[in-house]
mmCIF file with all atom_site columns, all heavy atoms in Angstrom:
data_model
loop_
_atom_site.group_PDB
_atom_site.id
_atom_site.type_symbol
_atom_site.label_atom_id
_atom_site.label_alt_id
_atom_site.label_comp_id
_atom_site.label_asym_id
_atom_site.label_entity_id
_atom_site.label_seq_id
_atom_site.pdbx_PDB_ins_code
_atom_site.Cartn_x
_atom_site.Cartn_y
_atom_site.Cartn_z
_atom_site.occupancy
_atom_site.B_iso_or_equiv
_atom_site.pdbx_formal_charge
_atom_site.auth_seq_id
_atom_site.auth_comp_id
_atom_site.auth_asym_id
_atom_site.auth_atom_id
_atom_site.pdbx_PDB_model_num
ATOM 1   N N   . CYS A 1 1  ? 11.014 13.047 6.273  1.00 0.00 ? 1  CYS A N   1
ATOM 2   C CA  . CYS A 1 1  ? 9.788  12.267 6.273  1.00 0.00 ? 1  CYS A CA  1
ATOM 3   C C   . CYS A 1 1  ? 10.071 10.969 5.515  1.00 0.00 ? 1  CYS A C   1
ATOM 4   O O   . CYS A 1 1  ? 10.481 11.001 4.355  1.00 0.00 ? 1  CYS A O   1
ATOM 5   C CB  . CYS A 1 1  ? 8.665  13.044 5.599  1.00 0.00 ? 1  CYS A CB  1
ATOM 6   S SG  . CYS A 1 1  ? 7.127  12.106 5.442  1.00 0.00 ? 1  CYS A SG  1
ATOM 7   N N   . VAL A 1 2  ? 9.881  9.843  6.169  1.00 0.00 ? 2  VAL A N   1
ATOM 8   C CA  . VAL A 1 2  ? 10.157 8.554  5.547  1.00 0.00 ? 2  VAL A CA  1
ATOM 9   C C   . VAL A 1 2  ? 8.992  8.169  4.640  1.00 0.00 ? 2  VAL A C   1
ATOM 10  O O   . VAL A 1 2  ? 7.857  8.010  5.104  1.00 0.00 ? 2  VAL A O   1
ATOM 11  C CB  . VAL A 1 2  ? 10.393 7.461  6.611  1.00 0.00 ? 2  VAL A CB  1
ATOM 12  C CG1 . VAL A 1 2  ? 10.698 6.115  5.942  1.00 0.00 ? 2  VAL A CG1 1
ATOM 13  C CG2 . VAL A 1 2  ? 11.533 7.864  7.530  1.00 0.00 ? 2  VAL A CG2 1
ATOM 14  N N   . SER A 1 3  ? 9.264  8.039  3.355  1.00 0.00 ? 3  SER A N   1
ATOM 15  C CA  . SER A 1 3  ? 8.230  7.721  2.373  1.00 0.00 ? 3  SER A CA  1
ATOM 16  C C   . SER A 1 3  ? 7.950  6.226  2.314  1.00 0.00 ? 3  SER A C   1
ATOM 17  O O   . SER A 1 3  ? 8.722  5.400  2.810  1.00 0.00 ? 3  SER A O   1
ATOM 18  C CB  . SER A 1 3  ? 8.665  8.206  0.982  1.00 0.00 ? 3  SER A CB  1
ATOM 19  O OG  . SER A 1 3  ? 8.862  9.599  0.970  1.00 0.00 ? 3  SER A OG  1
ATOM 20  N N   . HIS A 1 4  ? 6.829  5.884  1.686  1.00 0.00 ? 4  HIS A N   1
ATOM 21  C CA  . HIS A 1 4  ? 6.476  4.491  1.418  1.00 0.00 ? 4  HIS A CA  1
ATOM 22  C C   . HIS A 1 4  ? 6.863  4.142  -0.015 1.00 0.00 ? 4  HIS A C   1
ATOM 23  O O   . HIS A 1 4  ? 6.771  4.988  -0.903 1.00 0.00 ? 4  HIS A O   1
ATOM 24  C CB  . HIS A 1 4  ? 4.971  4.267  1.594  1.00 0.00 ? 4  HIS A CB  1
ATOM 25  C CG  . HIS A 1 4  ? 4.515  4.297  3.014  1.00 0.00 ? 4  HIS A CG  1
ATOM 26  N ND1 . HIS A 1 4  ? 4.539  5.445  3.790  1.00 0.00 ? 4  HIS A ND1 1
ATOM 27  C CD2 . HIS A 1 4  ? 4.005  3.315  3.814  1.00 0.00 ? 4  HIS A CD2 1
ATOM 28  C CE1 . HIS A 1 4  ? 4.065  5.167  4.998  1.00 0.00 ? 4  HIS A CE1 1
ATOM 29  N NE2 . HIS A 1 4  ? 3.735  3.884  5.037  1.00 0.00 ? 4  HIS A NE2 1
ATOM 30  N N   . THR A 1 5  ? 7.299  2.918  -0.228 1.00 0.00 ? 5  THR A N   1
ATOM 31  C CA  . THR A 1 5  ? 7.628  2.476  -1.582 1.00 0.00 ? 5  THR A CA  1
ATOM 32  C C   . THR A 1 5  ? 7.344  0.988  -1.742 1.00 0.00 ? 5  THR A C   1
ATOM 33  O O   . THR A 1 5  ? 7.391  0.225  -0.769 1.00 0.00 ? 5  THR A O   1
ATOM 34  C CB  . THR A 1 5  ? 9.104  2.751  -1.923 1.00 0.00 ? 5  THR A CB  1
ATOM 35  O OG1 . THR A 1 5  ? 9.359  2.343  -3.274 1.00 0.00 ? 5  THR A OG1 1
ATOM 36  C CG2 . THR A 1 5  ? 10.039 1.976  -1.005 1.00 0.00 ? 5  THR A CG2 1
ATOM 37  N N   . THR A 1 6  ? 7.082  0.611  -2.980 1.00 0.00 ? 6  THR A N   1
ATOM 38  C CA  . THR A 1 6  ? 6.851  -0.803 -3.280 1.00 0.00 ? 6  THR A CA  1
ATOM 39  C C   . THR A 1 6  ? 8.113  -1.483 -3.796 1.00 0.00 ? 6  THR A C   1
ATOM 40  O O   . THR A 1 6  ? 8.095  -2.679 -4.069 1.00 0.00 ? 6  THR A O   1
ATOM 41  C CB  . THR A 1 6  ? 5.742  -0.955 -4.336 1.00 0.00 ? 6  THR A CB  1
ATOM 42  O OG1 . THR A 1 6  ? 6.119  -0.256 -5.534 1.00 0.00 ? 6  THR A OG1 1
ATOM 43  C CG2 . THR A 1 6  ? 4.420  -0.382 -3.825 1.00 0.00 ? 6  THR A CG2 1
ATOM 44  N N   . ARG A 1 7  ? 9.215  -0.727 -3.957 1.00 0.00 ? 7  ARG A N   1
ATOM 45  C CA  . ARG A 1 7  ? 10.437 -1.371 -4.443 1.00 0.00 ? 7  ARG A CA  1
ATOM 46  C C   . ARG A 1 7  ? 11.091 -2.165 -3.330 1.00 0.00 ? 7  ARG A C   1
ATOM 47  O O   . ARG A 1 7  ? 10.844 -1.940 -2.134 1.00 0.00 ? 7  ARG A O   1
ATOM 48  C CB  . ARG A 1 7  ? 11.404 -0.343 -5.019 1.00 0.00 ? 7  ARG A CB  1
ATOM 49  C CG  . ARG A 1 7  ? 12.177 0.500  -4.019 1.00 0.00 ? 7  ARG A CG  1
ATOM 50  C CD  . ARG A 1 7  ? 13.398 1.110  -4.700 1.00 0.00 ? 7  ARG A CD  1
ATOM 51  N NE  . ARG A 1 7  ? 14.105 2.089  -3.895 1.00 0.00 ? 7  ARG A NE  1
ATOM 52  C CZ  . ARG A 1 7  ? 14.950 1.789  -2.926 1.00 0.00 ? 7  ARG A CZ  1
ATOM 53  N NH1 . ARG A 1 7  ? 15.146 0.527  -2.583 1.00 0.00 ? 7  ARG A NH1 1
ATOM 54  N NH2 . ARG A 1 7  ? 15.575 2.744  -2.266 1.00 0.00 ? 7  ARG A NH2 1
ATOM 55  N N   . SER A 1 8  ? 11.956 -3.093 -3.706 1.00 0.00 ? 8  SER A N   1
ATOM 56  C CA  . SER A 1 8  ? 12.656 -3.916 -2.734 1.00 0.00 ? 8  SER A CA  1
ATOM 57  C C   . SER A 1 8  ? 13.784 -3.118 -2.084 1.00 0.00 ? 8  SER A C   1
ATOM 58  O O   . SER A 1 8  ? 14.370 -2.238 -2.721 1.00 0.00 ? 8  SER A O   1
ATOM 59  C CB  . SER A 1 8  ? 13.237 -5.156 -3.413 1.00 0.00 ? 8  SER A CB  1
ATOM 60  O OG  . SER A 1 8  ? 12.209 -5.940 -3.998 1.00 0.00 ? 8  SER A OG  1
ATOM 61  N N   . PRO A 1 9  ? 14.093 -3.418 -0.827 1.00 0.00 ? 9  PRO A N   1
ATOM 62  C CA  . PRO A 1 9  ? 15.200 -2.713 -0.163 1.00 0.00 ? 9  PRO A CA  1
ATOM 63  C C   . PRO A 1 9  ? 16.523 -3.008 -0.849 1.00 0.00 ? 9  PRO A C   1
ATOM 64  O O   . PRO A 1 9  ? 16.780 -4.129 -1.296 1.00 0.00 ? 9  PRO A O   1
ATOM 65  C CB  . PRO A 1 9  ? 15.181 -3.299 1.256  1.00 0.00 ? 9  PRO A CB  1
ATOM 66  C CG  . PRO A 1 9  ? 13.820 -3.875 1.427  1.00 0.00 ? 9  PRO A CG  1
ATOM 67  C CD  . PRO A 1 9  ? 13.413 -4.364 0.074  1.00 0.00 ? 9  PRO A CD  1
ATOM 68  N N   . ARG A 1 10 ? 17.384 -1.991 -0.946 1.00 0.00 ? 10 ARG A N   1
ATOM 69  C CA  . ARG A 1 10 ? 18.740 -2.182 -1.443 1.00 0.00 ? 10 ARG A CA  1
ATOM 70  C C   . ARG A 1 10 ? 19.625 -2.639 -0.290 1.00 0.00 ? 10 ARG A C   1
ATOM 71  O O   . ARG A 1 10 ? 19.247 -2.490 0.878  1.00 0.00 ? 10 ARG A O   1
ATOM 72  C CB  . ARG A 1 10 ? 19.272 -0.874 -2.042 1.00 0.00 ? 10 ARG A CB  1
ATOM 73  C CG  . ARG A 1 10 ? 18.547 -0.440 -3.314 1.00 0.00 ? 10 ARG A CG  1
ATOM 74  C CD  . ARG A 1 10 ? 18.940 0.944  -3.738 1.00 0.00 ? 10 ARG A CD  1
ATOM 75  N NE  . ARG A 1 10 ? 18.252 1.362  -4.967 1.00 0.00 ? 10 ARG A NE  1
ATOM 76  C CZ  . ARG A 1 10 ? 18.070 2.609  -5.353 1.00 0.00 ? 10 ARG A CZ  1
ATOM 77  N NH1 . ARG A 1 10 ? 18.527 3.596  -4.584 1.00 0.00 ? 10 ARG A NH1 1
ATOM 78  N NH2 . ARG A 1 10 ? 17.435 2.896  -6.471 1.00 0.00 ? 10 ARG A NH2 1
ATOM 79  N N   . PRO A 1 11 ? 20.784 -3.188 -0.586 1.00 0.00 ? 11 PRO A N   1
ATOM 80  C CA  . PRO A 1 11 ? 21.687 -3.637 0.480  1.00 0.00 ? 11 PRO A CA  1
ATOM 81  C C   . PRO A 1 11 ? 21.954 -2.519 1.487  1.00 0.00 ? 11 PRO A C   1
ATOM 82  O O   . PRO A 1 11 ? 22.305 -1.399 1.114  1.00 0.00 ? 11 PRO A O   1
ATOM 83  C CB  . PRO A 1 11 ? 22.957 -4.032 -0.281 1.00 0.00 ? 11 PRO A CB  1
ATOM 84  C CG  . PRO A 1 11 ? 22.460 -4.435 -1.631 1.00 0.00 ? 11 PRO A CG  1
ATOM 85  C CD  . PRO A 1 11 ? 21.322 -3.496 -1.931 1.00 0.00 ? 11 PRO A CD  1
ATOM 86  N N   . GLY A 1 12 ? 21.760 -2.821 2.758  1.00 0.00 ? 12 GLY A N   1
ATOM 87  C CA  . GLY A 1 12 ? 22.016 -1.851 3.813  1.00 0.00 ? 12 GLY A CA  1
ATOM 88  C C   . GLY A 1 12 ? 20.810 -1.014 4.198  1.00 0.00 ? 12 GLY A C   1
ATOM 89  O O   . GLY A 1 12 ? 20.838 -0.322 5.230  1.00 0.00 ? 12 GLY A O   1
ATOM 90  N N   . GLU A 1 13 ? 19.754 -1.022 3.395  1.00 0.00 ? 13 GLU A N   1
ATOM 91  C CA  . GLU A 1 13 ? 18.566 -0.240 3.722  1.00 0.00 ? 13 GLU A CA  1
ATOM 92  C C   . GLU A 1 13 ? 17.718 -0.967 4.766  1.00 0.00 ? 13 GLU A C   1
ATOM 93  O O   . GLU A 1 13 ? 17.598 -2.194 4.753  1.00 0.00 ? 13 GLU A O   1
ATOM 94  C CB  . GLU A 1 13 ? 17.734 0.030  2.472  1.00 0.00 ? 13 GLU A CB  1
ATOM 95  C CG  . GLU A 1 13 ? 18.394 0.996  1.499  1.00 0.00 ? 13 GLU A CG  1
ATOM 96  C CD  . GLU A 1 13 ? 17.508 1.347  0.316  1.00 0.00 ? 13 GLU A CD  1
ATOM 97  O OE1 . GLU A 1 13 ? 16.661 0.512  -0.069 1.00 0.00 ? 13 GLU A OE1 1
ATOM 98  O OE2 . GLU A 1 13 ? 17.684 2.455  -0.233 1.00 0.00 ? 13 GLU A OE2 1
ATOM 99  N N   . VAL A 1 14 ? 17.118 -0.181 5.658  1.00 0.00 ? 14 VAL A N   1
ATOM 100 C CA  . VAL A 1 14 ? 16.332 -0.725 6.760  1.00 0.00 ? 14 VAL A CA  1
ATOM 101 C C   . VAL A 1 14 ? 14.907 -0.187 6.683  1.00 0.00 ? 14 VAL A C   1
ATOM 102 O O   . VAL A 1 14 ? 14.702 1.018  6.476  1.00 0.00 ? 14 VAL A O   1
ATOM 103 C CB  . VAL A 1 14 ? 16.950 -0.344 8.124  1.00 0.00 ? 14 VAL A CB  1
ATOM 104 C CG1 . VAL A 1 14 ? 16.106 -0.891 9.275  1.00 0.00 ? 14 VAL A CG1 1
ATOM 105 C CG2 . VAL A 1 14 ? 18.381 -0.853 8.217  1.00 0.00 ? 14 VAL A CG2 1
ATOM 106 N N   . ASP A 1 15 ? 13.944 -1.062 6.822  1.00 0.00 ? 15 ASP A N   1
ATOM 107 C CA  . ASP A 1 15 ? 12.543 -0.648 6.783  1.00 0.00 ? 15 ASP A CA  1
ATOM 108 C C   . ASP A 1 15 ? 12.270 0.366  7.891  1.00 0.00 ? 15 ASP A C   1
ATOM 109 O O   . ASP A 1 15 ? 12.648 0.166  9.046  1.00 0.00 ? 15 ASP A O   1
ATOM 110 C CB  . ASP A 1 15 ? 11.635 -1.868 6.960  1.00 0.00 ? 15 ASP A CB  1
ATOM 111 C CG  . ASP A 1 15 ? 10.164 -1.511 6.863  1.00 0.00 ? 15 ASP A CG  1
ATOM 112 O OD1 . ASP A 1 15 ? 9.795  -0.737 5.959  1.00 0.00 ? 15 ASP A OD1 1
ATOM 113 O OD2 . ASP A 1 15 ? 9.377  -1.998 7.702  1.00 0.00 ? 15 ASP A OD2 1
ATOM 114 N N   . GLY A 1 16 ? 11.647 1.480  7.510  1.00 0.00 ? 16 GLY A N   1
ATOM 115 C CA  . GLY A 1 16 ? 11.343 2.522  8.475  1.00 0.00 ? 16 GLY A CA  1
ATOM 116 C C   . GLY A 1 16 ? 12.432 3.560  8.619  1.00 0.00 ? 16 GLY A C   1
ATOM 117 O O   . GLY A 1 16 ? 12.237 4.575  9.290  1.00 0.00 ? 16 GLY A O   1
ATOM 118 N N   . VAL A 1 17 ? 13.573 3.323  7.994  1.00 0.00 ? 17 VAL A N   1
ATOM 119 C CA  . VAL A 1 17 ? 14.673 4.297  8.045  1.00 0.00 ? 17 VAL A CA  1
ATOM 120 C C   . VAL A 1 17 ? 14.796 5.001  6.702  1.00 0.00 ? 17 VAL A C   1
ATOM 121 O O   . VAL A 1 17 ? 14.562 6.208  6.598  1.00 0.00 ? 17 VAL A O   1
ATOM 122 C CB  . VAL A 1 17 ? 16.007 3.612  8.415  1.00 0.00 ? 17 VAL A CB  1
ATOM 123 C CG1 . VAL A 1 17 ? 17.146 4.637  8.405  1.00 0.00 ? 17 VAL A CG1 1
ATOM 124 C CG2 . VAL A 1 17 ? 15.893 2.962  9.774  1.00 0.00 ? 17 VAL A CG2 1
ATOM 125 N N   . GLN A 1 18 ? 15.189 4.261  5.674  1.00 0.00 ? 18 GLN A N   1
ATOM 126 C CA  . GLN A 1 18 ? 15.256 4.865  4.337  1.00 0.00 ? 18 GLN A CA  1
ATOM 127 C C   . GLN A 1 18 ? 13.848 5.010  3.744  1.00 0.00 ? 18 GLN A C   1
ATOM 128 O O   . GLN A 1 18 ? 13.491 6.048  3.210  1.00 0.00 ? 18 GLN A O   1
ATOM 129 C CB  . GLN A 1 18 ? 16.134 4.032  3.397  1.00 0.00 ? 18 GLN A CB  1
ATOM 130 C CG  . GLN A 1 18 ? 17.622 4.151  3.647  1.00 0.00 ? 18 GLN A CG  1
ATOM 131 C CD  . GLN A 1 18 ? 18.070 3.331  4.837  1.00 0.00 ? 18 GLN A CD  1
ATOM 132 O OE1 . GLN A 1 18 ? 17.387 2.391  5.253  1.00 0.00 ? 18 GLN A OE1 1
ATOM 133 N NE2 . GLN A 1 18 ? 19.232 3.660  5.372  1.00 0.00 ? 18 GLN A NE2 1
ATOM 134 N N   . TYR A 1 19 ? 13.069 3.945  3.846  1.00 0.00 ? 19 TYR A N   1
ATOM 135 C CA  . TYR A 1 19 ? 11.688 3.915  3.358  1.00 0.00 ? 19 TYR A CA  1
ATOM 136 C C   . TYR A 1 19 ? 10.868 2.970  4.223  1.00 0.00 ? 19 TYR A C   1
ATOM 137 O O   . TYR A 1 19 ? 11.412 2.136  4.952  1.00 0.00 ? 19 TYR A O   1
ATOM 138 C CB  . TYR A 1 19 ? 11.626 3.383  1.910  1.00 0.00 ? 19 TYR A CB  1
ATOM 139 C CG  . TYR A 1 19 ? 12.133 4.323  0.843  1.00 0.00 ? 19 TYR A CG  1
ATOM 140 C CD1 . TYR A 1 19 ? 13.430 4.202  0.356  1.00 0.00 ? 19 TYR A CD1 1
ATOM 141 C CD2 . TYR A 1 19 ? 11.318 5.313  0.290  1.00 0.00 ? 19 TYR A CD2 1
ATOM 142 C CE1 . TYR A 1 19 ? 13.906 5.045  -0.636 1.00 0.00 ? 19 TYR A CE1 1
ATOM 143 C CE2 . TYR A 1 19 ? 11.776 6.156  -0.696 1.00 0.00 ? 19 TYR A CE2 1
ATOM 144 C CZ  . TYR A 1 19 ? 13.065 6.028  -1.158 1.00 0.00 ? 19 TYR A CZ  1
ATOM 145 O OH  . TYR A 1 19 ? 13.528 6.866  -2.138 1.00 0.00 ? 19 TYR A OH  1
ATOM 146 N N   . HIS A 1 20 ? 9.542  3.111  4.113  1.00 0.00 ? 20 HIS A N   1
ATOM 147 C CA  . HIS A 1 20 ? 8.634  2.084  4.591  1.00 0.00 ? 20 HIS A CA  1
ATOM 148 C C   . HIS A 1 20 ? 8.379  1.181  3.380  1.00 0.00 ? 20 HIS A C   1
ATOM 149 O O   . HIS A 1 20 ? 7.742  1.595  2.410  1.00 0.00 ? 20 HIS A O   1
ATOM 150 C CB  . HIS A 1 20 ? 7.320  2.687  5.079  1.00 0.00 ? 20 HIS A CB  1
ATOM 151 C CG  . HIS A 1 20 ? 7.464  3.578  6.272  1.00 0.00 ? 20 HIS A CG  1
ATOM 152 N ND1 . HIS A 1 20 ? 7.854  3.117  7.516  1.00 0.00 ? 20 HIS A ND1 1
ATOM 153 C CD2 . HIS A 1 20 ? 7.262  4.921  6.420  1.00 0.00 ? 20 HIS A CD2 1
ATOM 154 C CE1 . HIS A 1 20 ? 7.895  4.115  8.374  1.00 0.00 ? 20 HIS A CE1 1
ATOM 155 N NE2 . HIS A 1 20 ? 7.546  5.223  7.734  1.00 0.00 ? 20 HIS A NE2 1
ATOM 156 N N   . PHE A 1 21 ? 8.901  -0.023 3.404  1.00 0.00 ? 21 PHE A N   1
ATOM 157 C CA  . PHE A 1 21 ? 8.772  -0.922 2.269  1.00 0.00 ? 21 PHE A CA  1
ATOM 158 C C   . PHE A 1 21 ? 7.469  -1.720 2.401  1.00 0.00 ? 21 PHE A C   1
ATOM 159 O O   . PHE A 1 21 ? 7.276  -2.450 3.380  1.00 0.00 ? 21 PHE A O   1
ATOM 160 C CB  . PHE A 1 21 ? 9.981  -1.864 2.206  1.00 0.00 ? 21 PHE A CB  1
ATOM 161 C CG  . PHE A 1 21 ? 11.282 -1.153 1.963  1.00 0.00 ? 21 PHE A CG  1
ATOM 162 C CD1 . PHE A 1 21 ? 12.137 -0.861 3.021  1.00 0.00 ? 21 PHE A CD1 1
ATOM 163 C CD2 . PHE A 1 21 ? 11.646 -0.749 0.688  1.00 0.00 ? 21 PHE A CD2 1
ATOM 164 C CE1 . PHE A 1 21 ? 13.340 -0.192 2.809  1.00 0.00 ? 21 PHE A CE1 1
ATOM 165 C CE2 . PHE A 1 21 ? 12.844 -0.071 0.469  1.00 0.00 ? 21 PHE A CE2 1
ATOM 166 C CZ  . PHE A 1 21 ? 13.689 0.204  1.528  1.00 0.00 ? 21 PHE A CZ  1
ATOM 167 N N   . VAL A 1 22 ? 6.583  -1.547 1.431  1.00 0.00 ? 22 VAL A N   1
ATOM 168 C CA  . VAL A 1 22 ? 5.268  -2.183 1.488  1.00 0.00 ? 22 VAL A CA  1
ATOM 169 C C   . VAL A 1 22 ? 4.976  -2.894 0.172  1.00 0.00 ? 22 VAL A C   1
ATOM 170 O O   . VAL A 1 22 ? 5.621  -2.647 -0.845 1.00 0.00 ? 22 VAL A O   1
ATOM 171 C CB  . VAL A 1 22 ? 4.157  -1.159 1.780  1.00 0.00 ? 22 VAL A CB  1
ATOM 172 C CG1 . VAL A 1 22 ? 4.372  -0.492 3.143  1.00 0.00 ? 22 VAL A CG1 1
ATOM 173 C CG2 . VAL A 1 22 ? 4.088  -0.100 0.681  1.00 0.00 ? 22 VAL A CG2 1
ATOM 174 N N   . SER A 1 23 ? 3.985  -3.764 0.204  1.00 0.00 ? 23 SER A N   1
ATOM 175 C CA  . SER A 1 23 ? 3.568  -4.468 -1.004 1.00 0.00 ? 23 SER A CA  1
ATOM 176 C C   . SER A 1 23 ? 2.728  -3.539 -1.876 1.00 0.00 ? 23 SER A C   1
ATOM 177 O O   . SER A 1 23 ? 2.227  -2.498 -1.418 1.00 0.00 ? 23 SER A O   1
ATOM 178 C CB  . SER A 1 23 ? 2.738  -5.699 -0.636 1.00 0.00 ? 23 SER A CB  1
ATOM 179 O OG  . SER A 1 23 ? 1.521  -5.308 -0.022 1.00 0.00 ? 23 SER A OG  1
ATOM 180 N N   . VAL A 1 24 ? 2.557  -3.927 -3.136 1.00 0.00 ? 24 VAL A N   1
ATOM 181 C CA  . VAL A 1 24 ? 1.717  -3.147 -4.047 1.00 0.00 ? 24 VAL A CA  1
ATOM 182 C C   . VAL A 1 24 ? 0.291  -3.089 -3.511 1.00 0.00 ? 24 VAL A C   1
ATOM 183 O O   . VAL A 1 24 ? -0.373 -2.041 -3.560 1.00 0.00 ? 24 VAL A O   1
ATOM 184 C CB  . VAL A 1 24 ? 1.735  -3.753 -5.462 1.00 0.00 ? 24 VAL A CB  1
ATOM 185 C CG1 . VAL A 1 24 ? 0.725  -3.044 -6.364 1.00 0.00 ? 24 VAL A CG1 1
ATOM 186 C CG2 . VAL A 1 24 ? 3.135  -3.671 -6.066 1.00 0.00 ? 24 VAL A CG2 1
ATOM 187 N N   . GLU A 1 25 ? -0.179 -4.216 -2.974 1.00 0.00 ? 25 GLU A N   1
ATOM 188 C CA  . GLU A 1 25 ? -1.540 -4.267 -2.443 1.00 0.00 ? 25 GLU A CA  1
ATOM 189 C C   . GLU A 1 25 ? -1.714 -3.300 -1.268 1.00 0.00 ? 25 GLU A C   1
ATOM 190 O O   . GLU A 1 25 ? -2.719 -2.577 -1.185 1.00 0.00 ? 25 GLU A O   1
ATOM 191 C CB  . GLU A 1 25 ? -1.879 -5.698 -1.991 1.00 0.00 ? 25 GLU A CB  1
ATOM 192 C CG  . GLU A 1 25 ? -1.976 -6.716 -3.107 1.00 0.00 ? 25 GLU A CG  1
ATOM 193 C CD  . GLU A 1 25 ? -0.632 -7.123 -3.677 1.00 0.00 ? 25 GLU A CD  1
ATOM 194 O OE1 . GLU A 1 25 ? 0.410  -6.889 -2.995 1.00 0.00 ? 25 GLU A OE1 1
ATOM 195 O OE2 . GLU A 1 25 ? -0.606 -7.647 -4.802 1.00 0.00 ? 25 GLU A OE2 1
ATOM 196 N N   . ALA A 1 26 ? -0.728 -3.259 -0.378 1.00 0.00 ? 26 ALA A N   1
ATOM 197 C CA  . ALA A 1 26 ? -0.807 -2.358 0.768  1.00 0.00 ? 26 ALA A CA  1
ATOM 198 C C   . ALA A 1 26 ? -0.759 -0.903 0.320  1.00 0.00 ? 26 ALA A C   1
ATOM 199 O O   . ALA A 1 26 ? -1.458 -0.039 0.863  1.00 0.00 ? 26 ALA A O   1
ATOM 200 C CB  . ALA A 1 26 ? 0.330  -2.649 1.746  1.00 0.00 ? 26 ALA A CB  1
ATOM 201 N N   . PHE A 1 27 ? 0.082  -0.634 -0.677 1.00 0.00 ? 27 PHE A N   1
ATOM 202 C CA  . PHE A 1 27 ? 0.197  0.736  -1.195 1.00 0.00 ? 27 PHE A CA  1
ATOM 203 C C   . PHE A 1 27 ? -1.126 1.178  -1.810 1.00 0.00 ? 27 PHE A C   1
ATOM 204 O O   . PHE A 1 27 ? -1.605 2.292  -1.549 1.00 0.00 ? 27 PHE A O   1
ATOM 205 C CB  . PHE A 1 27 ? 1.309  0.799  -2.243 1.00 0.00 ? 27 PHE A CB  1
ATOM 206 C CG  . PHE A 1 27 ? 1.709  2.196  -2.630 1.00 0.00 ? 27 PHE A CG  1
ATOM 207 C CD1 . PHE A 1 27 ? 2.769  2.832  -2.000 1.00 0.00 ? 27 PHE A CD1 1
ATOM 208 C CD2 . PHE A 1 27 ? 1.020  2.883  -3.625 1.00 0.00 ? 27 PHE A CD2 1
ATOM 209 C CE1 . PHE A 1 27 ? 3.134  4.121  -2.349 1.00 0.00 ? 27 PHE A CE1 1
ATOM 210 C CE2 . PHE A 1 27 ? 1.375  4.171  -3.979 1.00 0.00 ? 27 PHE A CE2 1
ATOM 211 C CZ  . PHE A 1 27 ? 2.446  4.796  -3.341 1.00 0.00 ? 27 PHE A CZ  1
ATOM 212 N N   . GLU A 1 28 ? -1.716 0.320  -2.631 1.00 0.00 ? 28 GLU A N   1
ATOM 213 C CA  . GLU A 1 28 ? -2.986 0.652  -3.277 1.00 0.00 ? 28 GLU A CA  1
ATOM 214 C C   . GLU A 1 28 ? -4.087 0.862  -2.248 1.00 0.00 ? 28 GLU A C   1
ATOM 215 O O   . GLU A 1 28 ? -4.977 1.708  -2.428 1.00 0.00 ? 28 GLU A O   1
ATOM 216 C CB  . GLU A 1 28 ? -3.369 -0.454 -4.257 1.00 0.00 ? 28 GLU A CB  1
ATOM 217 C CG  . GLU A 1 28 ? -2.463 -0.517 -5.482 1.00 0.00 ? 28 GLU A CG  1
ATOM 218 C CD  . GLU A 1 28 ? -2.797 -1.685 -6.396 1.00 0.00 ? 28 GLU A CD  1
ATOM 219 O OE1 . GLU A 1 28 ? -3.457 -2.638 -5.915 1.00 0.00 ? 28 GLU A OE1 1
ATOM 220 O OE2 . GLU A 1 28 ? -2.392 -1.655 -7.576 1.00 0.00 ? 28 GLU A OE2 1
ATOM 221 N N   . SER A 1 29 ? -4.031 0.125  -1.147 1.00 0.00 ? 29 SER A N   1
ATOM 222 C CA  . SER A 1 29 ? -5.008 0.302  -0.082 1.00 0.00 ? 29 SER A CA  1
ATOM 223 C C   . SER A 1 29 ? -4.866 1.682  0.557  1.00 0.00 ? 29 SER A C   1
ATOM 224 O O   . SER A 1 29 ? -5.863 2.351  0.859  1.00 0.00 ? 29 SER A O   1
ATOM 225 C CB  . SER A 1 29 ? -4.818 -0.782 0.977  1.00 0.00 ? 29 SER A CB  1
ATOM 226 O OG  . SER A 1 29 ? -5.727 -0.603 2.054  1.00 0.00 ? 29 SER A OG  1
ATOM 227 N N   . MET A 1 30 ? -3.629 2.127  0.743  1.00 0.00 ? 30 MET A N   1
ATOM 228 C CA  . MET A 1 30 ? -3.392 3.453  1.310  1.00 0.00 ? 30 MET A CA  1
ATOM 229 C C   . MET A 1 30 ? -3.865 4.549  0.357  1.00 0.00 ? 30 MET A C   1
ATOM 230 O O   . MET A 1 30 ? -4.392 5.577  0.788  1.00 0.00 ? 30 MET A O   1
ATOM 231 C CB  . MET A 1 30 ? -1.907 3.630  1.638  1.00 0.00 ? 30 MET A CB  1
ATOM 232 C CG  . MET A 1 30 ? -1.407 2.748  2.762  1.00 0.00 ? 30 MET A CG  1
ATOM 233 S SD  . MET A 1 30 ? 0.352  3.018  3.167  1.00 0.00 ? 30 MET A SD  1
ATOM 234 C CE  . MET A 1 30 ? 0.277  4.665  3.913  1.00 0.00 ? 30 MET A CE  1
ATOM 235 N N   . VAL A 1 31 ? -3.684 4.328  -0.939 1.00 0.00 ? 31 VAL A N   1
ATOM 236 C CA  . VAL A 1 31 ? -4.180 5.291  -1.932 1.00 0.00 ? 31 VAL A CA  1
ATOM 237 C C   . VAL A 1 31 ? -5.699 5.408  -1.827 1.00 0.00 ? 31 VAL A C   1
ATOM 238 O O   . VAL A 1 31 ? -6.265 6.508  -1.834 1.00 0.00 ? 31 VAL A O   1
ATOM 239 C CB  . VAL A 1 31 ? -3.764 4.869  -3.355 1.00 0.00 ? 31 VAL A CB  1
ATOM 240 C CG1 . VAL A 1 31 ? -4.470 5.758  -4.397 1.00 0.00 ? 31 VAL A CG1 1
ATOM 241 C CG2 . VAL A 1 31 ? -2.253 4.961  -3.528 1.00 0.00 ? 31 VAL A CG2 1
#
């Protein structure tokens, strides 16, 4: 299950593969 995170992607990481990378505002909205 691909989790959501507010941290920045590390080298080689792809959005939707390792994590769903979102802003703090978007994360708080989901909460």
Side-chain angles (χ1 to χ4, degrees):
C1 176
V2 181
S3 299
H4 288 67
T5 182
T6 59
R7 76 161 172 79
S8 300
R10 293 171 180 158
E13 290 185 331
V14 179
D15 183 44
V17 178
Q18 285 78 21
Y19 287 98
H20 296 294
F21 296 99
V22 298
S23 65
V24 173
E25 293 74 18
F27 192 94
E28 291 176 341
S29 178
M30 293 182 70
V31 171

